[in-house]
Amino acid sequence: MIEEIVSLRMPVEERLAVRKNRLEPARITKSTKRISIVTGTHGDELNGQYVCYKIIERIKQEPENLTGIVDVYPSINPLGIDTGSRGIPMNDLDMNRVFPGSEAGAMAEHIAYKITQDIIGSDMCVDVHSSNIFIKEVPQVRLSPENYEKLLPYAKLMNADIIWALSSAVYLESSLANSLNMFGVPSIVVEMGAGSRITRDYARQMLDGIFMLMKELGIWRGSVFPIKEPLIAQPGDVLAVHAERSGLFIVDDTEIGVNISKGHRIGKIVNPLTGEVLEEIISPKDGFLLTLREHPVVYRGAIMARVCGADSPGPEEADLYA
C-alpha cells in the first residue's frame, strides 16, 4: 500500500512528495512488529534503491511468510534522486543534517520532521546508504558510541563485512538514525559501495542481512541465508590513508574487502603530463581494507583508503557518518 508521508507545493505547478510502501501481513494484532527500511537520503545513493526493490519483490512473492509490518521508504530526498545530486538541489543541503526537523521549519526541516514522526513507533529502522562517487566501501554497519551495546546484536545480523564503532567526535547528531534512537526507535546505519551506481553483490549481501534481522524480530518466517561473521572495529582501529600529492590515481591489483599487510602498495598517484610517479599509496599497517578510492582524479588530502587493524591505531577519519 503506497502512502504519502509529506507533500509540498513546488514552482511551475509541481509537487514534492515523499512516499512509502507499507507491506502488511494478513493478520495484524497489538503485538505485530514493524520495521522501517529507509534510503535515498542522498540522491546519489542507488544501492538502497535496489535493496528496496528486492525487499518488496520477495515479500510479494512470499506474502504468506510476512508476519509483521514492513515500511519501505525508497526516496526521502526525491529531488536529489531525480537530479542525481547528493544533497537537496538548489542549495545542496545535506538531508542527513537536519533531523529530527521541525514542523514549522523550512522545506527540508519540515520534510525531516514528517519522516521522523512517521517512523516513530517502529520496532527497528535500517537506514541504508552508499558512499559518494569518490570512494567505495565494503558492506558495513556504523554504530554510535551511545547506542553501541544496545544495537550490536542487531548489527551482527546484517551480514556486513565489518561493524564500525564510531567515536563521539565523528558521530553525527543531526542524522536520521541518531534522531530515531533518541526517540526510542532502534536504528542502525548500513553503508556499501560507491555513489551513483549499483553494486549488486553488496546490495544482495545486505538484503540477506535485512531478512535475517526481520526473522529475528518476528517479522519474517521465510527462509534466510547464512550470514557472515563481521569484523568488529573499535574507535581508533580504522586508519585513513590520505593523498599527499594531486594527480591521477592508478590502483594496483588490490581488491577491496581483503586483508593486506603493512607496506602493501595499494596504488600510485601519477602525473599524466610528465609520466612521473608522484606518490605511492602504501598501507600504514596490517589490516582489513574496507575503503578504496574509486574516482581516479585526486587532490592533496583526499581519502585513498581505510584500513582496519587493532595494531598501531591511528586517528579516526573526521567526516564519516552517512
Side-chain angles (χ1 to χ4, degrees):
M1 177 174 60
I2 308 298
E3 299 180 19
E4 192 169 271
I5 308 306
V6 57
S7 177
L8 296 174
R9 189 174 178 181
M10 299 289 290
V12 199
E13 300 183 359
E14 294 180 332
R15 297 197 70 84
L16 180 154
V18 176
R19 300 181 178 92
K20 73 176 180 183
N21 191 346
R22 169 163 286 191
L23 300 110
E24 298 178 336
R27 181 171 178 267
I28 297 177
T29 68
K30 290 183 178 180
S31 62
T32 299
K33 299 290 186 179
R34 172 185 165 205
I35 188 171
S36 291
I37 311 297
V38 184
T39 189
T41 310
H42 301 115
D44 61 353
E45 294 176 336
L46 304 182
N47 280 306
Q49 304 282 296
Y50 183 74
V51 167
C52 289
Y53 162 70
K54 296 300 287 185
I55 288 173
I56 296 169
E57 179 187 56
R58 185 171 184 196
I59 291 175
K60 284 184 174 180
Q61 290 172 348
E62 306 175 46
E64 70 280 2
N65 288 323
L66 184 65
T67 53
I69 298 171
V70 180
D71 281 340
V72 179
Y73 303 76
S75 176
I76 65 171
N77 175 13
L79 291 180
I81 293 289
D82 288 347
T83 61
S85 58
R86 189 163 180 83
I88 299 174
M90 298 175 288
N91 55 13
D92 199 31
L93 179 66
D94 191 329
M95 187 71 185
N96 215 28
R97 303 295 187 270
V98 295
F99 287 97
S102 168
E103 186 172 20
M107 180 186 74
E109 294 174 306
H110 180 76
I111 293 171
Y113 172 82
K114 289 292 188 179
I115 292 168
T116 303
Q117 294 301 309
D118 195 73
I119 296 174
I120 288 175
S122 299
D123 295 282
M124 174 64 62
C125 179
V126 179
D127 186 14
V128 184
H129 290 263
S130 295
S131 186
N132 55 38
I133 64 171
F134 300 103
I135 57 177
K136 184 177 182 180
E137 304 274 7
V138 299
Q140 59 194 261
V141 178
R142 295 177 176 179
L143 299 179
S144 69
E146 294 80 8
N147 299 290
Y148 178 78
E149 294 297 334
K150 179 178 73 173
L151 297 178
L152 183 60
Y154 300 115
K156 287 181 176 179
L157 299 172
M158 287 303 300
N159 203 28
D161 289 345
I162 182 171
I163 298 173
W164 190 354
L166 301 179
S167 69
S168 298
V170 300
Y171 184 67
L172 184 64
E173 294 184 358
S174 56
S175 68
L176 172 64
N178 183 63
S179 297
L180 290 172
N181 278 309
M182 289 193 301
F183 284 115
V185 179
S187 302
I188 57 178
V189 173
V190 302
E191 184 152 347
M192 58 186 154
S196 298
R197 69 208 70 184
I198 295 173
T199 307
R200 290 191 182 188
D201 289 346
Y202 287 176
R204 289 168 178 163
Q205 180 180 330
M206 298 307 285
L207 184 71
D208 291 343
I210 289 173
F211 274 97
M212 180 65 78
L213 176 63
M214 287 167 53
K215 187 152 191 173
E216 181 71 17
L217 293 172
I219 294 172
W220 181 254
R221 64 185 175 197
S223 61
V224 292
F225 294 97
I227 57 174
K228 290 187 173 186
E229 182 71 28
L231 175 66
I232 307 294
Q234 300 298 331
D237 287 350
V238 177
L239 184 61
V241 181
H242 294 266
E244 297 291 336
R245 302 289 298 273
S246 301
L248 189 71
F249 177 54
I250 308 298
V251 68
D252 286 354
D253 292 332
T254 304
E255 293 289 336
I256 193 173
V258 299
N259 290 310
I260 57 177
S261 302
K262 181 178 180 179
H264 174 89
R265 196 179 84 162
I266 298 169
K268 58 189 176 183
I269 298 174
V270 303
N271 185 329
L273 178 63
T274 66
E276 178 186 4
V277 176
L278 302 175
E279 180 185 359
E280 292 189 335
I281 304 301
I282 304 298
S283 175
K285 60 179 179 178
D286 297 343
F288 180 73
L289 182 64
L290 66 147
T291 304
L292 185 61
R293 180 79 181 186
E294 182 83 358
H295 199 287
V297 177
V298 300
Y299 296 93
R300 182 179 179 182
I303 290 181
M304 307 306 296
R306 293 192 186 103
V307 181
C308 175
D311 58 316
S312 304
E316 202 169 4
E317 180 59 31
D319 186 18
L320 293 170
Y321 206 66

